[in-house]
Amino acid sequence: MIMNVPDTALRSTAAARTPSPAHTPAPAPTPAVRQADGMAVASFVFGLIGLLAMNLLLGPAAIVLAALALHRGTRRPGRARLGLALGIADLAVLAWLVSADQTWSWSIG
């Protein structure tokens, strides 16, 4: 026994099985983007720690990592820009310390 099924019923069940473009999951980030995200976070951390200690090393490292992260297209551009600003602030603090104390290190007391 063959049943006649209207075309609209077949189309609606086929449409229900195929996901619409709005419901498809986002593609996983590529390894380069993940590396850029890590560089953005590292530049922020290096810049923040560099304000307190080792600003001669961590300031330029924060600047380089932030520039690389922005160049590679990180998904965290705000964090990379903040790391860049903190790296520049590290070098400004270092310049201020050198002009005030004529030393390359912190001197408390």
Side-chain angles (χ1 to χ4, degrees):
M1 180 163 143
I2 299 175
M3 296 178 65
N4 284 336
V5 179
D7 265 353
T8 56
L10 289 175
R11 276 187 254 147
S12 65
T13 49
R17 281 188 234 143
T18 58
S20 66
H23 297 305
T24 57
T30 62
V33 172
R34 272 190 251 143
Q35 282 181 345
D37 290 345
M39 287 182 198
V41 172
S43 71
F44 170 71
V45 171
F46 283 179
L48 197 59
I49 294 173
L51 284 175
L52 303 174
M54 296 190 308
N55 47 3
L56 179 62
L57 298 174
L58 295 179
I63 292 171
V64 168
L65 285 173
L68 284 173
L70 289 171
H71 179 70
R72 291 185 181 183
T74 182
R75 291 181 300 170
R76 300 173 183 213
R79 184 91 27 106
R81 287 186 195 110
L82 189 57
L84 182 66
L86 286 171
I88 293 169
D90 290 348
L91 295 180
V93 167
L94 179 65
W96 178 75
L97 285 173
V98 168
S99 68
D101 297 4
Q102 283 76 34
T103 183
W104 289 92
S105 63
W106 290 90
S107 61
I108 300 174

